Amino acid sequence: MGAGERLAIEEPENGSPWSHAGDTFRIPHFFTLWSSNLIQFVSAFVYTVVLAWLVTSLTESRTVVGLVGFAQGGVMFLASPLAGVAVDRLSKRHLLFVGRLGLAGVVAAIAALVAVGHIEIWHILVASVAGGLLTALMQPATQTYVFDVVNRQHLQSAVSLNAGATSVAHTAGPLVGGALVGAIGFVGAYVSAAVGLVLSALLLLSIPVIGRAKPSVSHAHWASDLRQGLAYVWSHPPVRLVLMACSMSVFNGSVAAMRPIFARHVLGVDSVGYGAMAAAAGLGGLATAVVLAGLPSARRPGPWIVASMLVFALLIVLYAFAFSFEYILVIELLTGVAGQVWMVSTFSGLQMAVPEEMRGRVVSLVFTVVMLAPIGGLFVGLLADSIGDRFALGIFGMIPAVVLAGMLVGGYRSLRRL
């Protein structure tokens, strides 16, 4: 690829800012897919928030809290590349259906253990591993199935609307989860999440698009497919640089790991306050998704991907000060904005840039490096137990901020070719 060549292969037509979003919702079956994803995202956030609050009620160890995230994230990190191969070979709709039903089973099992009064940390670790495997299977399928349902012209709008569903869930899920724990307890909250996951799976059956890869890409050995995906990334410097930037999630994920610690031990709020903190990030992401859904595709998403990661890292440094609950709500809101810009820029930009037969594998590699985030959660927990919550989080913000700033300046020309 020449120095001046860009990977992007097609630009959408211009139109009024909000016509893109309206036209996308009118594409057959997209609204059903969006609704199914929304229900699944809300249910998953309810489960995640309630699980974190349950862990902090069983132990005060920051290391154990990080270990739970590490168990899920480590499995996802290892499984995501092969999940991308599966997505390029099998029906995405079927993968999502099986994955969501399986995750509902995991949630129901935790609910049963809590109900009989025998829940222990090792049970939660096992559930985290199982949930990680299922989520690793679903994540690349969730993103690339959107491409199968809509056309290329509406891809950024569809990805933004799908990301908007994530942000609605990120806002509503923690609020609902925190309220459910206070109103009907852990068991009721888990049962509600399991029912939502089953409903989201059943909705997929009404979509006739199965999202299967072209037959020509499914004859090679799985290991060969995986090597081809890695070789493609390595031979395209802009994609390689984006993945390197996304790997800074090992530090950026410290917010999710330390949020329940800051809520319970630094700010002294209850489960509703903790839910509000997570919801503020979702609200920021939702507002950003609404704006991005009405805009045409970014012509050069590469710099935006790295810049949004840099802003998120700087916000982690500000998070460490945490002098009031209101201050943290503002910081959480801004992390949602930065995270949403990253998500839309990354998944719409890469899917527009790479060949169709490579989409699943390249997207899965993004999820692979992003899954370093929960792994970093273990180490920030260990550090917090040693030097304190604020110092640990501040260090986990400063390191990626320095690296990403250098990456943005030094790799700007390459990033502009994506």
Side-chain angles (χ1 to χ4, degrees):
M1 185 173 65
E5 183 182 352
R6 289 183 56 221
L7 292 177
I9 48 182
E10 189 172 319
E11 302 288 349
E13 297 177 1
N14 293 325
S16 62
W18 301 107
S19 64
H20 297 282
D23 291 344
T24 302
F25 267 129
R26 286 190 287 271
I27 293 174
H29 313 299
F30 176 72
F31 182 75
T32 301
L33 174 60
W34 184 87
S35 301
S36 172
N37 288 343
L38 175 61
I39 296 171
Q40 189 260 323
F41 296 154
V42 170
S43 302
F45 273 111
V46 168
Y47 168 64
T48 300
V49 166
V50 175
L51 187 68
W53 198 249
L54 175 63
V55 172
T56 58
S57 70
L58 296 174
T59 178
E60 293 188 0
S61 171
R62 278 70 166 161
T63 303
V64 171
V65 174
L67 183 61
V68 172
F70 174 83
Q72 177 169 330
V75 169
M76 294 176 68
F77 174 77
L78 295 173
S80 287
L82 289 177
V85 175
V87 166
D88 282 338
R89 285 171 169 259
L90 306 174
S91 162
K92 301 178 185 69
R93 187 189 67 182
H94 295 165
L95 288 173
L96 291 171
F97 179 78
V98 172
R100 291 176 182 182
L101 287 184
L103 189 57
V106 172
V107 177
I110 292 292
L113 288 169
V114 174
V116 298
H118 293 307
I119 188 70
E120 297 181 20
I121 292 295
W122 75 267
H123 295 140
I124 296 174
L125 290 174
V126 171
S128 296
V129 170
L133 284 170
L134 292 165
T135 303
L137 178 69
M138 291 189 292
Q139 281 187 328
T142 300
Q143 293 295 331
T144 56
Y145 191 40
V146 173
F147 193 100
D148 294 317
V149 174
V150 305
N151 52 46
R152 180 178 296 275
Q153 178 181 345
H154 293 94
L155 180 60
Q156 174 169 302
S157 179
V159 170
S160 298
L161 290 168
N162 203 47
T166 306
S167 297
V168 170
H170 200 165
T171 303
L175 291 175
V176 171
L180 286 174
V181 170
I184 58 178
F186 287 112
V187 175
Y190 285 133
V191 170
S192 300
V195 170
L197 288 166
V198 172
L199 177 59
S200 71
L202 294 176
L203 277 175
L204 291 172
L205 298 181
S206 65
I207 302 175
V209 181
I210 65 172
R212 191 184 300 276
K214 292 179 178 179
S216 59
V217 297
S218 56
H219 295 306
H221 192 274
W222 283 52
S224 176
D225 280 355
L226 181 57
R227 285 195 299 270
Q228 287 177 10
L230 293 171
Y232 176 86
V233 169
W234 186 255
S235 63
H236 293 78
V239 179
R240 186 171 72 236
L241 192 56
V242 162
L243 286 177
M244 290 172 61
C246 292
S247 71
M248 290 298 100
S249 294
V250 70
F251 299 101
N252 293 0
S254 57
V255 170
M258 295 299 291
R259 182 181 288 126
I261 300 298
F262 269 66
R264 189 183 285 273
H265 300 293
V266 176
L267 299 172
V269 299
D270 59 12
S271 63
V272 176
Y274 166 57
M277 289 166 60
L283 184 61
L286 174 60
T288 306
V290 170
V291 172
L292 293 177
L295 297 177
S297 299
R299 294 191 175 186
R300 301 182 188 275
W304 285 100
I305 295 171
V306 179
S308 58
M309 292 281 296
L310 172 59
V311 171
F312 195 99
L314 293 173
L315 288 169
I316 294 176
V317 177
L318 296 177
Y319 201 112
F321 290 93
F323 58 82
S324 73
F325 179 64
E326 293 76 15
Y327 169 82
I328 284 298
L329 290 181
V330 174
I331 299 299
E332 290 273 17
L333 183 109
L334 294 175
T335 63
V337 173
Q340 194 67 275
V341 172
W342 170 83
M343 178 178 288
V344 174
S345 299
T346 301
F347 292 113
S348 64
L350 286 178
Q351 290 194 72
M352 290 283 285
V354 304
E356 179 182 354
E357 64 273 12
M358 285 288 179
R359 281 192 288 117
R361 279 165 283 182
V362 172
V363 168
S364 73
L365 289 174
V366 175
F367 280 118
T368 299
V369 296
V370 168
M371 280 307 107
L372 292 169
I375 296 173
L378 172 62
F379 292 101
V380 75
L382 287 166
L383 193 60
D385 277 332
S386 300
I387 65 174
D389 301 328
R390 297 177 187 273
F391 284 115
L393 192 61
I395 290 172
F396 265 63
M398 284 301 301
I399 293 174
V402 172
V403 173
L404 288 163
M407 205 174 285
L408 184 61
V409 173
Y412 184 75
R413 288 186 179 180
S414 180
L415 290 168
R416 280 174 58 86
R417 286 156 46 202
L418 184 68

